[in-house]
Structures are given as C-alpha cells and as structure tokens.
Amino acid sequence: MLQNKDPINVIITGVGGQGNLFASQILGQMLLQKGYLITIGETLGLSQRGGSVMSHVRASKRETLPPLIPEGLCDLVLALEPIEGLRILGSYGHPDVLTITNTRPIMPMDVLAGQAEYPELEVVLEKMNELSRRVWTVDATDLALKMGDPILANVIMLGALGGLKILPYDVRTFETAIREFFPDDRLTTNLEAFNQGRTSVKAI
Amino acid sequence: MSEKGGLKSLENGVLAKDLCVACGACASLCPYLRSTDGRIVKLHDCDLTEGRCFDYCPRTEVDVAKLHQAVFGRDRRDLDIGSTRRVVGARAIDLELRNRGQTGGVVSTLVSLALEEGSVQAAILTERRADLLPRGRIVRDSREVVTLAGSGYVAGPTLEALNGGSFENEDRIAVVGLPCQITALAKMRVSALDRRTPIDQVVLTIGLFCTWALSYGPFVDFLRKRVGRAEVGKMDITPPPERLLLVTTDSETSRIPLDEIRPFVRSGCDVCLDMTAELADLSVGTVEGRCGWNTVIVRTRAGEEILSRAEAVGAIETESLAEDYLGHLREASRLKKYRALKALEGKGYTDGGYLRLPNRLKRRIMSCGDEGP
Amino acid sequence: MSIITEGRSGQKVLLMGNEAIARGAIEGGVKVCAAYPGNPSSEIIGTLAKIGPELDIYVEWSANEKVALEVAAAASFAGIRGLAAMKQNGLNVASDFLFNLNLTGSIGGLVVVVCDDPGAISSTNEEDTRAYAKIGDLPLLEPSTVQEAKSMIPFAFELSEELGLPCLVRSVTRISHARGSVELDDPVPLSRRPHFNTGRPLVNVPALAFHRKLRAKLHRCRDIFETSEFNEYLGPEQPEALIVASGTPGAYAQETLNLLKAEDRVGIIKLGTTWPLPESFLVRQLRRADVILVAEDVDTFLETNLKALCAQKGRELGIKRFLGRGSGTLPDVGEITPDCLTTAVAEILKISYEARPPEYARTAQEAVSRYAPTRQVGFCAGCPHRAAYWCVKTALALDGRDGFLVGDIGCYSLGFGPSGFEQMKTLHSMGSGAGIAGGMGQLARFGFDQPVMTVCGDSTFYHAALPALFNAIYNQANFLMLILDNSATAMTGFQPHPGTGQNAMGRQAPVVDIEAVCRTLGARIEVADPYDLQGTIEAVNRLLVDEKGVKVLILRQLCALVRANRGEKLYQVRVDQERCLGDGCGCNRLCTRVFRCPGLIWDKEKGRAGIDDAICTGCGVCGEICPQSAILTEEI
Ligand SMILES: Cc1cc2nc3c(=O)[nH]c(=O)nc-3n(C[C@H](O)[C@H](O)[C@H](O)COP(=O)(O)OP(=O)(O)OC[C@H]3O[C@@H](n4cnc5c(N)ncnc54)[C@H](O)[C@@H]3O)c2cc1C
Ligand code: SF4
Ligand code: SF4
C-alpha cells in the first residue's frame, strides 16, 4: 500500500522497555534488503525508563534522509501502546496515515497514582480512527504473554504489519533480518510470534 | 454536625499547631502515620478527606455533651469532674502492688483482677523501658500487670497498641489511659467511620488523673544531663507547697523543682480540659496529702462492678474522702478547664478551638475567672 | 556485529551512528580505544569492546573520561592510533588533561569523539562541546549524517598525525543514536610497533613556546580545511538567502527546502570542519547572498564566528543580515528540528507552509491533550532504587530533623522525581553528591543541624565520588553515604566497571571491592539489601544518629533489568482481592498511589489493586509495604 510512496515514513512508538528500538532495527533491516536507503531516528536515554519512546524509520530508494520525520508527514504508525499511538498522531499524523495498534494499555505513573485518567480503549480507537485513513488492532501483549514472554509483543506487531502487506516484506524477509540478532534457538519463537501477529491483526 | 477531615487536616490543624499530645490514637491505623520517639510522624501524604486519624484525635473537635451522651447514655450533671457514682479513697492490699504502684496500686490491682477473673481477656497498659519512652503494651496475663505499675509523667502513644494489635480471639479489652486517651476512645466509639479499630471490644476504661504530661525528647535530654545514663526507677511529684519531681536512680534520688520541668510540658496539654478522665468507667489519681492512697472516681456500672469485686475479694481497701478534699478536687479540675480556655484564647482560637462546650459548662468554667485562679 | 569487522569497501550496511564511528575507527587503523560510558556516546566503545579481541584492538572502559583520554593519548605518544569517546559532560572531566595535551601535541593519530546531547534528551545539560575546540586551539569536525560520522574518523586520524594534534569530533544524539545506510571503506593497512621516543619528551614548558607552536598548527589546519570535502555548497548560483549549517541541521536543510519547494531560492553551505573555520571557502560562498540563516545545535558557535569573519572581511562581503538562534529566528535552546527549521525558512521566504490541514491538526492535538496523559519517566518495575528511596524517605521522616539527601548522576538521579519520592535534593555532576555532602557535613560548627545523606551508584563511585569521599573522611565531615550497588552501569546500558569482575572485552578482571575500599579509607560501613525495607530503614536511622564522621551504607541488590533479562523472578506476586483495602482509610492505595511501581495496577471499578504480569519483575517489595498483607508473594 505504501510501496509506491517515496520516502516511506514510519513511526514505531511505545513505552520504554517494550522493545521499540529492536522493532525499528528489524524493520530497517527488512527494508534494506528490499533496496531502500534507511535512516532510523531513535530516542534512547532517560525515556527508556518507562517514558514515551518513538523511533522514526525512513526509507527511500533515492536518497538518505535525515533521522527525524517532519511533523505531519508520517505515513504509518505502529503503536506498541495505544495512547502512545494517539500521541504520535497528534504531532505526525495526517488524514492519510495508517495506524496499527497494540490493544494493551500501560498506565503512566500519574494514572496509577490517580492524578490523571487513562481513557477507555474504545475512545482511543475511535480517536485513532478519526485521525487515520485506516486502523488495525492486535492483542499483541496478550498473545505474547500466552507465548510466555511479553517482550515478543514487538515482533507480533511487525508480523501484523507484514500480514497487511502495507510494506514490502514477508516472513522470509523477517527471518533473514532476525538471523543477524538471534542464535537459532530464539529464532523459532520469533518466527512463531511474527506469524501470530500476521494472523491476528483485525481492522476496525 | 461534626467536623470531618483527613490526614492533611490533622497535619495542619493539630501536628503543625503543636497541639498533639502523642496519645497514639492516630498511629498504626494506616501506613501514613507512625509514632516514633514520642512524636507522631507523617511518612507520606494521604489525600482522603475523611480519616480515622482525624476522627479519633482528641485535639480535633471534642463535643463534650455529645461524647458524654455516647458514653453514659445521659446528660452530664457534675460540671466540674464529670459524672460520678461515688468517689472514694482506695489502695491495694497486696504489698508488692502497693509498693510498685505509682500511688496506691489501685489501677494495677483492678486490671490484674479483671484479667484473672476473665472479665477482660486483654488490657492495654503502658510500659516504660530503660529509654523512658512510654509505649502501649497488650497484656493478657495478669501476672504481667505488676511489672508495668508506676508512671513517668511522659506522654506516650499508648493507644497505638490498641490500633495495631490483633484481637481476633478477644472480645473484652480494658484500657488504662490518660484523660486525652480516654477522650480518644470515646471519639472512636462515636465515629461513623469503619469499625476496624477494636473499640467495640473495649469494655472497661480506667482513666488516670492528669494535669499535664511531658514531651519525651526534650525532657529525656534534660533528664539525662541531670542524672546521667543511670537506670531511672520511680519518678514522683511531691505535693504543694514543695512541688518537686523526685527521680530515683540506683544511686540517688534527684530532687528537681517543677519549674525546671515546665518547659517540657507538651503544649497540647495547655489546652486540655480534662483532669479526671471524665469519660472513663473509673478514674484514678492521688489523694493529695495522703501518701499511698488513690482517689477513685467511679462513673459507670462497669467501673462500679470491678471496684466492688476488688473490695469483695479483698484486693483493695477503701475509705471515704473528706468533703473539703472533694471540694479541692473539684476546684483543681475546674481550674484546669479555665486555664485551657484561656490558653486556647491565647493561641488565637476565639471560637473555643477544638472544644464544643455546652453554655452551662462554659459559664461554670469562666466563673473561675470571677473568683480569681 | 560481524558486519562491522568484516564489511568490505563499497558494501552498504545499516549502522547506528555510534557503530559507524566505531567502524570509522577500525578503517582508520585504531589500536587503543578508551571511554567512560555516557549517553549518547556509550555504544562507540561498546561496539569496539565486542570486536576488540578479534581485531587485536585494545579497548577499555576507563574509570572516568580523563583517564580514558590519557589512555588513548598514551597510545598516540607511542606512535600508534588512539581514540577516546565521551559525552559532553565527560569532556569537562577530561579537559584538564586536554588543555595541556594540545600544547605538547600528539604523535600517533589521536581522535576524541564527544557526543553532545542537544535538547538534553538523556543528560542534565545541553552543553556545546565546540567551545572547547576554540579554547584549546584544536581542530573540530562535525558530521551531519551517519555516513559522515564514519567517514570523518579516518580523516581525523590522518589530520591528527599531520598536525601532531588531537582532533575533536563532535557527534550529537541524532547522529549517534540514529541508524543509517553507510557505505564502507577498507581499513588502512598500518603495522606499527608502539615505541616512545625518550629523546622527545612531551613537556609543555615553557608554555608560551608551545602555545606559539600550537597556533601555527592551527593555521596549517585551516589551510587543510579550505579544500575539505566535508564542506560544500548546494544550491543555485545566486540564491535569495543562504543556510549555513553544521551537524544534523545540515541534513535537515535539504529536506526543508524540498518541502517548501524552495530549492531554487535558497543555497546551503554545509560545514563539516567547524574549527578553525575555512575562511576563504566561506568568503567565496557567503558572497552569494546577504541573508544568512545559521542552523546549528545548541550554542551560536558558528553564528558568532561567522559574524566575526564577516566583520573582518567587511570590504569583500558587504553587510550581511544574520538570522539564527541569536536572532530568535530559531529557538534559543533545545535541538534544531526539521520543523523549526522549516518554519524559520518559510518565514524568511514569506511562504505559507502547512504539512496537514489545519482542521486535522487541531483535532489531533486536542485528542492528545484530552486522551493521552503524559508519561513521566521513572524507575523500572522492581528497581532496587525505588525501594532504596522508599527507605530514605521513611528513615528521614522518622528521624525528624529535616534531614535530606543530595545526589548525582546515574539511574538513581531519577530520585529527584516521583518514582524516587522526590528525595534527591541536589543533582549536578558525577560524584558531586559526595562532595556536597562533605561540605554540608562541615557546617555544624555554624549551627547547621540537619542530617545529610548522599547517594551514589557503584559506577559513579569509581568515576568521581572516591576523591570526595576520602576528602570527607580526611576532613572529618559528618554524613551518611548510600552506595546503590546494583552491579551494573544501568543508565547507559550495562557496561562493566571495576566492581563487576569483567573488563570491557569480556575478560575476567580483578574486582575493586567498594566495601573494602571504604573500609580501608576508614568509614563506618554497613551493608543492607534495599528489598528488605525494614532492615534498610533501621540501618539508615542507626547511621543517621551516629554524629561522628562518614558512614557508608552499601545497598546491594541486582538491577531489575539485569534480573529480568536473565529471566529470573524472585517472587510470583498477586493481590488478595478480599484483603485489599483499596482507597479505604487504613491504606488509601499506598501501593499504587504512593509507592507507584509500574508493575501494579489499580482497578478502578473494583476499587482494588492488582499486578500486571507483563510488567511485574517479582521483586516482592510491594508485599512489604501493603498494610493489609494483601499483596501475596510466593517464592519461585
Ligand atoms: C502523665 C501523667 C500525669 C499524671 N498527673 C497526675 C496528677 O496531676 N494528679 C494525680 O492525682 N494523678 C496524676 N497521675 C496519675 C498518677 O501518677 C497515678 O498513675 C495514679 O494515681 C494511679 O496510681 P496507681 O498506683 O493506681 O497506679 P499503678 O498501679 O502504678 O498503675 C499505673 C498505670 O498507669 C499506666 N501508665 C503509666 N504511664 C502512663 C502514661 N504515660 N500514659 C498512660 N498510662 C500510663 C500504666 O500502664 C499502669 O498500668 C498522672 C499520671 C501520668 C502518667
Ligand atoms: S493528640 Fe493523639 S490523635 Fe491527636 S495527633 Fe496527637 S497522637 Fe494523634
Ligand atoms: S497497599 Fe495493599 S491494601 Fe492498599 S491498595 Fe495496595 S494491595 Fe490494597
């Protein structure tokens, strides 16, 4: 769906500790295999500690782009956490943006403490829908927990994106990319997670 | 309408105003307030607008008439020393109790008897260890009572032991406490908040007479400078005109003029209305001028029953008190009330501060002023 | 990262900026690399450490940046190539050495990579390192892409050897922590045996003679920069305006012009060699237009120096109008983003630019402010620091003398915020907590009566707290120092340090035991486990009332991330819904409202607490704080 666009601007967002950066690296590697020039802008540092995290993944066949996507020019949001997805739409969204979101909220500290409210998931999805051309959901964390490790949610999300064929990659591209990071014994779990995502993504 | 509040109000209205008397009614109810070294310490902020800490504190609203109604089921008649059934002199028969007791050993005798006969299964007493800090202590064995006899004139969080204790197997508890602590118990009884505090199990309250109590930290610093590290035994106050604090250690008895002690009186005591623990089942103090005898004010049937049984089994002996002594007692009690109202005024509480007094009582108290203190 | 060692000339690979710098070092024939970790610089040495043994490169995590620079300089003195890496604050630590090193000069290629953090994304300041180049008369390179970050390193080595001067390379977060496609080159074939020439001592006395020599080197450097390929002009012959940019703004500039469709109206002078300025090159380019927008990160380094140049060359250049951070056209502080650059250029060209329909923008921003509560950073689930600060807070309250804690840099810096219960009351530089505590600890003589505590992580202890500690012991200051020993440099990504028993290259190393060090220095020492709240609180209170000298309490507990990465959990935790009091009096949600471990959940409907199994790391500490004993911890 975005194959014909150049550049392709993707933002992967979530909460520190969700494996956001890893997901962006894998996505970058996969697109690199497909002949794109890649730049990824990451936010490391303090935000790793439970703060909002985003990575900008930029792909172009023509040129190497700078690491930040200009505001209002994101083509695709991959949200590992719902309100983080909404937050990205706030600055980087535009009427044609595509959004894929995990359904599992992570409560900000202020919400836990009762000083702020976390909206109902339906409300977040409704807002996302209003701000995107299309929205898909994945119960990524729940699936990952069933598989025994919540961190797999990031790979499940990549699987979901792969399943939608929005970007030019499939499970084989994924396998090649992930081989650079993991020994064989972790490979099967990751492939399984990818496939879980591919088959459980739902349009709203 | 009674006043409602939470920890914030307690902090602002009582702790910050230095009105706290360290009774312990607010401690060990929750993880936010703790007592340590005779101080009430707030560990974290609590944002509840209604809490037991505020509700139980004897320095938040005290509605004298309402509390009296709640404890005695009728209006207050005696304006000076509260409801009485009888006032007698008494002392323990048992010599050990009499000697180790602060005055005549009556309190310890009554508690010990109640535990022995099973009319109560547990008692909240106050122990004083080598560090001189009074701490509440749950006693279930009558033989332990005598080891806790005596008092040290230092205020301490006795009621913390009631709040923090586990009384799953007991439904009859006695509490011995100072007037402020007895007031707090009455406030617990009338509180509309949840009843997780074991107040409904408290069937006997014995109040101690009290003119003032001392602040632990500053007083003990002073005392240590005076008597050194030696273990402190009995502490007593001699009657007027002498008025000395006698502090006995292994080696000597220090005689400290009361004027030197006054700076350590808790400022919360300055505004205290109650000398004779008017909301107790039974109140016990000294008999001025008659060494080794207690004044006992019996106020309720529960108080009468335990005292009569003690007489009947020969645990204590009683004698009647002279009319003019009773007159003195009344006057002393009324004077404490007068000083409290004046102190409140002095602290800028024009509306009586935490006290809600019936007009009749207020007039009676202020009449002291006419006579001159 | 085999690609970094094995990649061949012409190959295009995806590298993180810091990996690219590491690869650049390999291509430049580096032999000795040293650093102290600090975001955003840590992955440079992190990457090299992994491959050092394989490529016969010596790599070390040094105790601090000054030592790192000295270690790298030593290699240079012996004629081989050395590289030191650090973050902006680190150069402050190393600067004392640097400002003598410039005078003696170096021999083998010596490169100092400093990663600045515009916007202070993971720092306590956004200091601009470039000022050091000017003060120290040192050559300075500024990459603007990941590719350049790699390419500049071999050049920097060559330049350093040609001039006999260390060369500074300034990266920034957006390069160091970006990933980009990089075309590789082959490593230079160098086989030198290190040898120190005793006939040529490196002693910069008399200083003036050496200073004169340094100036001469800088002039030579300027000549080299005049023709450097890292400086270029892109744009029409006669633009309406010029953008002069270095660093990432240099990369944003082209996209900005594309977005504004202003490629024909504005030219870009992209500078990669920013000190000394290539004056003739600049004079040639600046002639093209009179309106000059300077886009650079943090300070007005270029802007100020360009203004000076234009004043100097007034007759040739005429009067220019300078716009940039100094003029308020670009924001005064924070990083330059593509967005502020676009706004500025649009304003200069009087173009109206909207990335998306205004109606959409409004709805989107409203949705965020209404439905996306901000996410404060805080300690991870199960972090021993949260437990430690809980104990600090409780102990100080119990102590009742208005005591407080001063701190410094590390994960535990977050103690200033809500997840540390706002306990850290001063926060400055590495080791500053111990120094400040030492000073406070002397004030009793003037009537100061508050107990003082300080806190320090294990890595920070070695870095800079140690001198402050023995200063305090020697001068008999009175305070309590907490050493949070989590066996990791967690803030920056778990680098080994002298206490971990491992060196940078993964070999076994002797453990420098903090406890033994403190004991030898003569401090009173206790050790506690911060997960044991009661024990820790008692220890703190016990040590606080000891009014003699320096007390050290070592709080030992493994970093929760390390434990989680190992897949270990101490306890399976759950909340007994019957016992939980929720927001009733007697608890008022102590766990979720006050303690706030992210592993806890507050179920608003049921009014009960719960555990989020996806986040809980099983430390079991909440079980200790629950007044109802409703949080059940079952040992695994
Ligand atoms: C602070 C204080 C001030 C007092 N002021 C006066 C006064 O002005 N006039 C007067 O007539 N009597 C006063 N008393 C009471 C008097 O000291 C005796 O406690 C009382 O006469 C009972 O004597 P006893 O021999 O029966 O007591 P004992 O048999 O010795 O029993 C004393 C009981 O008091 C309890 N106790 C000890 N210290 C405390 C404390 N700090 N808080 C609560 N309970 C405690 C113990 O648990 C023990 O059970 C005061 C007592 C205290 C503690
Ligand atoms: S007087 Fe008693 S209830 Fe009131 S604050 Fe002090 S200790 Fe708590
Ligand atoms: S601290 Fe305990 S009682 Fe209070 S909300 Fe948490 S689990 Fe429930």
Side-chain angles (χ1 to χ4, degrees):
Chain A
M1 243 178 279
L2 290 175
Q3 272 98 320
N4 300 324
K5 195 177 172 290
D6 199 314
I8 301 174
N9 291 325
V10 181
I11 296 183
I12 304 185
T13 184
V15 176
Q18 282 193 298
N20 184 298
L21 305 181
F22 178 69
S24 64
Q25 265 181 67
I26 297 290
L27 180 61
Q29 287 290 357
M30 292 193 290
L31 295 175
L32 191 75
Q33 284 179 47
K34 298 291 169 184
Y36 284 92
L37 295 165
I38 305 297
T39 310
I40 307 174
E42 297 172 347
T43 317
L44 283 163
L46 277 180
S47 49
Q48 264 179 310
R49 309 286 179 263
S52 307
V53 183
M54 60 169 170
S55 338
H56 293 199
V57 181
R58 313 193 69 187
S60 166
K61 296 225 159 150
R62 296 191 304 250
E63 57 184 330
T64 304
L65 292 155
L68 288 182
I69 297 171
E71 286 185 4
L73 294 185
C74 176
D75 302 309
L76 174 79
V77 178
L78 194 68
L80 299 182
E81 204 281 349
I83 60 165
E84 293 313 317
L86 190 59
R87 206 188 306 284
I88 293 302
L89 292 174
S91 306
Y92 297 94
H94 61 86
D96 274 333
V97 69
L98 306 173
T99 303
I100 306 172
T101 183
N102 185 1
T103 51
R104 173 74 164 246
I106 295 176
M107 297 299 157
M109 217 194 305
D110 282 354
V111 172
L112 196 63
Q115 289 157 358
E117 290 251 350
Y118 195 102
E120 294 294 329
L121 182 65
E122 290 76 67
V123 177
V124 182
L125 294 178
E126 197 184 299
K127 279 287 151 194
M128 280 182 167
N129 215 6
E130 199 181 322
L131 294 169
S132 315
R133 181 146 61 93
R134 294 201 58 185
V135 177
W136 293 269
T137 62
V138 199
D139 300 328
T141 304
D142 298 342
L143 291 168
L145 276 174
K146 275 195 209 118
M147 294 184 62
D149 191 350
I151 195 72
L152 290 170
N154 57 358
V155 172
I156 295 178
M157 293 298 293
L158 284 178
L161 175 56
L164 294 171
K165 305 221 177 317
I166 297 173
L167 293 175
Y169 69 81
D170 58 18
V171 68
R172 242 163 309 134
T173 333
F174 174 74
E175 192 178 334
T176 318
I178 200 130
R179 266 188 196 284
E180 299 220 2
F181 295 88
F182 287 131
D184 287 347
D185 59 323
R186 295 274 298 279
L187 205 66
T188 355
T189 333
N190 277 286
L191 286 174
E192 200 183 312
F194 188 91
N195 283 323
Q196 277 278 0
R198 216 163 45 110
T199 51
S200 13
V201 57
K202 289 186 288 252
I204 67 163
Chain B
M1 249 318 277
S2 62
E3 218 186 327
K4 294 275 170 235
L7 175 50
K8 271 217 172 66
S9 317
L10 187 77
E11 247 190 295
N12 297 335
V14 179
L15 299 173
K17 297 271 160 51
D18 208 9
L19 293 183
C20 168
V21 289
C23 71
C26 60
S28 287
L29 289 170
C30 70
Y32 297 85
L33 279 179
R34 237 204 250 176
S35 89
T36 184
D37 292 344
R39 287 177 290 123
I40 297 297
V41 173
K42 184 202 72 174
L43 296 181
H44 316 284
D45 286 323
C46 171
D47 60 1
L48 291 183
T49 49
E50 257 184 50
R52 290 175 293 163
C53 56
F54 183 88
D55 226 29
Y56 298 170
C57 173
R59 287 297 175 268
T60 61
E61 189 184 74
V62 167
D63 185 329
V64 173
K66 180 175 137 193
L67 291 178
H68 198 276
Q69 258 298 338
V71 173
F72 300 106
R74 58 185 150 76
D75 282 345
R76 175 188 176 107
R77 260 166 279 157
D78 189 317
L79 297 176
D80 294 334
I81 58 170
S83 285
T84 58
R85 289 176 156 236
R86 60 175 168 137
V87 185
V88 293
R91 67 174 179 180
I93 301 281
D94 183 283
L95 276 182
E96 193 191 357
L97 278 167
R98 202 193 287 171
N99 287 338
R100 292 181 66 164
Q102 181 67 19
T103 311
V106 168
V107 171
S108 298
T109 307
L110 295 181
V111 174
S112 172
L113 175 68
L115 282 169
E116 210 170 87
E117 64 178 20
S119 59
V120 301
Q121 300 136 312
I124 308 293
L125 299 180
T126 303
E127 73 170 322
R128 198 191 76 187
R129 296 190 208 153
D131 62 8
L132 301 182
L133 175 67
R135 292 178 175 83
R137 163 103 168 250
I138 302 169
V139 175
R140 294 188 167 88
D141 183 342
S142 64
R143 280 164 303 185
E144 230 181 287
V145 177
V146 64
T147 64
L148 303 178
S151 50
Y153 298 100
V154 174
T158 307
L159 296 182
E160 189 179 25
L162 179 71
N163 290 337
S166 155
F167 301 99
E168 266 154 42
N169 303 317
E170 288 100 348
D171 52 18
R172 297 185 303 281
I173 306 169
V175 180
V176 175
L178 295 168
C180 52
Q181 292 165 334
I182 301 295
T183 305
L185 291 176
K187 290 189 74 177
M188 290 181 189
R189 264 188 225 290
V190 302
S191 171
L193 296 179
D194 76 64
R195 319 249 356 129
R196 266 175 305 114
T197 315
I199 186 62
D200 292 335
Q201 285 125 279
V202 174
V203 294
L204 179 65
T205 57
I206 300 179
L208 306 174
F209 288 12
C210 174
T211 321
W212 41 249
L214 300 168
S215 260
Y216 173 72
F219 171 66
V220 169
D221 287 348
F222 163 84
L223 197 65
R224 285 299 170 203
K225 275 183 206 129
R226 204 56 187 247
V227 305
R229 294 272 123 210
E231 191 171 324
V232 174
K234 204 159 177 162
M235 298 205 307
D236 213 346
I237 293 177
T238 60
E242 210 184 16
R243 302 300 262 161
L244 293 169
L245 178 71
L246 305 182
V247 181
T248 317
T249 61
D250 307 338
S251 47
E252 54 173 347
T253 297
S254 304
R255 302 158 66 83
I256 309 173
L258 271 196
D259 284 342
E260 286 186 46
I261 305 296
R262 288 233 186 260
F264 310 119
V265 170
R266 290 196 78 98
S267 106
C269 291
D270 295 344
V271 299
C272 175
L273 200 68
D274 191 354
M275 188 185 92
T276 61
E278 293 172 13
L279 297 168
D281 290 313
L282 199 112
S283 303
V284 185
T286 55
V287 183
E288 224 156 74
R290 186 148 162 70
C291 193
W293 282 81
N294 285 115
T295 302
V296 180
I297 304 178
V298 184
R299 302 184 187 277
T300 66
R301 178 191 299 200
E304 181 58 58
E305 279 173 5
I306 188 69
L307 185 70
S308 320
R309 282 203 300 280
E311 283 178 283
V313 301
I316 64 166
E317 54 181 321
T318 57
E319 62 173 31
S320 52
L321 294 166
E323 257 326 300
D324 59 337
Y325 171 73
L326 291 177
H328 274 313
L329 185 66
R330 284 214 152 69
E331 193 183 305
S333 173
R334 199 165 359 112
L335 261 173
K336 180 169 178 183
K337 293 184 178 21
Y338 179 76
R339 284 194 302 265
L341 295 193
K342 284 287 164 202
L344 279 170
E345 255 177 60
K347 288 179 193 284
Y349 296 98
T350 46
D351 55 352
Y354 74 101
L355 292 167
R356 300 280 167 279
L357 301 176
N359 283 330
R360 225 159 50 91
L361 177 57
K362 208 183 288 174
R363 277 199 301 277
R364 171 79 181 165
I365 298 171
M366 293 320 283
S367 71
C368 274
D370 307 337
E371 293 159 23
Chain C
M1 300 288 141
S2 52
I3 201 73
I4 293 174
T5 52
E6 285 159 18
R8 288 281 151 255
S9 178
Q11 210 174 329
K12 274 208 165 130
V13 295
L14 185 59
L15 293 183
M16 180 194 229
N18 283 341
E19 291 169 351
I21 292 169
R23 169 72 194 192
I26 295 168
E27 290 178 7
V30 79
K31 275 289 160 197
V32 171
C33 305
Y36 181 82
N39 281 335
S41 74
S42 312
E43 297 83 1
I44 300 172
I45 297 293
T47 304
L48 288 165
K50 281 189 216 125
I51 56 189
E54 189 185 331
L55 296 183
D56 195 25
I57 297 174
Y58 173 73
V59 184
E60 76 166 38
W61 285 122
S62 309
N64 65 37
E65 293 85 352
K66 178 168 173 283
V67 176
L69 182 52
E70 287 154 355
V71 167
S76 158
F77 296 165
I80 57 175
R81 293 185 171 180
L83 177 138
M86 58 201 67
K87 69 181 294 178
Q88 79 275 15
N89 311 84
L91 188 58
N92 301 335
V93 177
S95 61
D96 190 14
F97 177 64
L98 185 68
F99 290 162
N100 287 287
L101 174 63
N102 56 352
L103 293 175
T104 65
S106 53
I107 296 165
L110 179 58
V111 176
V112 185
V113 181
V114 187
C115 300
D116 280 7
D117 191 13
I121 295 166
S122 49
S123 309
T124 51
N125 68 14
E126 57 164 2
E127 185 179 332
D128 191 330
T129 288
R130 297 176 298 173
Y132 279 100
K134 196 172 173 183
I135 306 171
D137 292 325
L138 290 168
L140 170 70
L141 304 178
E142 282 190 71
S144 65
T145 62
V146 177
Q147 174 71 55
E148 274 186 352
K150 193 224 67 166
S151 312
M152 277 184 177
I153 304 294
F155 171 74
F157 278 118
E158 294 295 333
L159 182 71
S160 164
E161 281 182 4
E162 181 151 355
L163 298 173
L165 272 185
C167 180
L168 292 180
V169 178
R170 182 221 200 193
S171 178
V172 290
T173 305
R174 293 289 175 211
I175 291 170
S176 281
H177 282 174
R179 272 166 210 282
S181 306
V182 176
E183 191 175 332
L184 305 182
D185 289 296
D186 286 330
V188 291
L190 283 183
S191 53
R192 299 182 188 162
R193 199 175 71 85
H195 179 78
F196 182 70
N197 182 353
T198 48
R200 198 194 143 187
L202 296 169
V203 179
N204 49 305
V205 183
L208 286 194
F210 284 91
H211 200 179
R212 202 165 294 121
K213 252 165 80 185
L214 176 58
R215 290 292 196 180
K217 288 178 181 178
L218 202 68
H219 290 308
R220 255 202 10 257
C221 183
R222 188 188 308 280
D223 293 341
I224 297 171
F225 282 178
E226 291 293 0
T227 55
S228 168
E229 60 182 71
F230 295 117
N231 305 322
E232 57 180 335
Y233 174 74
L234 303 158
E237 279 305 314
Q238 297 288 305
E240 291 167 45
L242 287 165
I243 300 177
V244 185
S246 67
T248 32
Y252 300 144
Q254 192 59 55
E255 192 174 19
T256 289
L257 297 185
N258 297 347
L259 287 178
L260 297 175
K261 301 196 172 45
E263 301 94 329
D264 300 338
R265 298 178 61 188
V266 180
I268 302 168
I269 303 174
K270 203 170 80 55
L271 281 184
T273 70
T274 42
W275 192 255
L277 286 179
E279 292 184 355
S280 312
F281 168 82
L282 281 167
V283 168
R284 277 198 310 279
Q285 306 306 339
L286 290 171
R287 279 206 198 101
R288 296 176 190 274
D290 290 337
V291 177
I292 297 161
L293 176 69
V294 186
E296 58 188 323
D297 265 325
V298 187
D299 284 343
T300 54
F301 180 82
L302 275 184
E303 192 176 329
T304 312
N305 292 318
L306 283 174
K307 281 177 183 166
L309 177 68
C310 286
Q312 189 76 36
K313 309 278 178 185
R315 210 166 299 152
E316 283 161 80
L317 288 173
I319 294 171
K320 303 284 180 193
R321 193 171 147 227
F322 276 97
L323 301 170
R325 311 197 85 145
S327 68
T329 315
L330 288 168
D332 209 15
V333 300
E335 63 172 324
I336 297 293
T337 61
D339 310 301
C340 67
L341 193 57
T342 306
T343 311
V345 177
E347 206 179 286
I348 294 167
L349 299 180
K350 306 206 167 27
I351 299 175
S352 86
Y353 169 75
E354 261 145 19
R356 51 186 182 173
E359 180 54 31
Y360 179 97
R362 201 167 330 115
T363 323
Q365 275 147 12
E366 266 170 28
V368 171
S369 61
R370 181 127 176 245
Y371 298 114
T374 47
R375 217 175 266 282
Q376 280 170 305
V377 293
F379 295 126
C380 309
C383 176
H385 297 341
R386 179 182 291 98
Y389 282 113
W390 183 266
C391 296
V392 167
K393 183 185 185 194
T394 308
L396 285 174
L398 290 175
D399 180 87
R401 290 175 291 165
D402 202 16
F404 59 94
L405 175 141
V406 295
D408 48 42
I409 307 293
C411 263
Y412 56 96
S413 300
L414 290 178
F416 76 85
S419 75
F421 318 109
E422 286 151 12
Q423 290 304 297
M424 186 180 286
K425 303 300 181 186
T426 73
L427 170 59
H428 300 89
S429 61
M430 294 290 288
S432 61
I436 291 168
M440 296 268 183
Q442 296 292 358
L443 301 181
R445 49 172 60 74
F446 306 118
F448 184 85
D449 57 3
Q450 293 161 281
V452 178
M453 291 172 81
T454 182
V455 67
C456 175
D458 39 5
S459 180
T460 308
F461 180 83
Y462 302 110
H463 180 287
L466 201 48
L469 181 64
F470 60 71
N471 175 66
I473 290 172
Y474 168 59
N475 289 305
Q476 290 168 291
N478 165 31
F479 66 81
L480 168 58
M481 178 171 196
L482 301 183
I483 296 177
L484 304 180
D485 179 0
N486 63 0
S487 303
T489 317
M491 188 83 220
T492 50
F494 309 107
Q495 294 78 9
H497 59 61
T500 56
Q502 222 189 36
N503 69 15
M505 294 184 291
R507 306 263 160 82
Q508 218 179 337
V511 176
V512 182
D513 180 17
I514 297 183
E515 191 182 336
V517 170
C518 296
R519 210 179 290 289
T520 312
L521 289 176
R524 172 175 171 190
I525 313 249
E526 290 198 24
V527 181
D529 171 3
Y531 282 175
D532 168 16
L533 300 180
Q534 202 45 42
T536 303
I537 292 166
E538 280 167 19
V540 172
N541 279 126
R542 187 165 54 237
L543 293 169
L544 275 182
V545 293
D546 174 350
E547 288 182 354
K548 277 191 280 317
V550 176
K551 285 80 58 182
V552 173
L553 178 62
I554 300 177
L555 293 181
R556 208 166 268 160
Q557 185 54 258
L558 191 61
C559 167
L561 279 182
V562 173
R563 201 187 291 287
N565 287 345
R566 290 187 193 160
E568 283 174 25
K569 251 187 177 188
L570 293 175
Y571 300 97
Q572 189 60 45
V573 186
R574 69 188 174 86
V575 177
D576 180 337
Q577 301 291 304
E578 297 293 305
R579 271 199 232 163
C580 172
L581 257 184
D583 49 18
C585 174
C587 175
N588 190 19
R589 307 210 281 118
L590 186 71
C591 58
T592 51
R593 199 181 58 84
V594 185
F595 186 64
R596 297 189 191 181
C597 174
L600 292 155
I601 301 175
W602 173 242
D603 185 331
K604 231 194 311 183
E605 252 134 65
K606 285 197 250 155
R608 292 289 176 267
I611 298 291
D612 188 339
D613 281 323
I615 300 175
C616 171
T617 58
C619 73
V621 174
C622 57
E624 288 175 72
I625 65 151
C626 173
Q628 286 293 100
S629 307
I631 305 184
L632 307 176
T633 49
E634 209 174 288
E635 242 170 282
I636 305 183

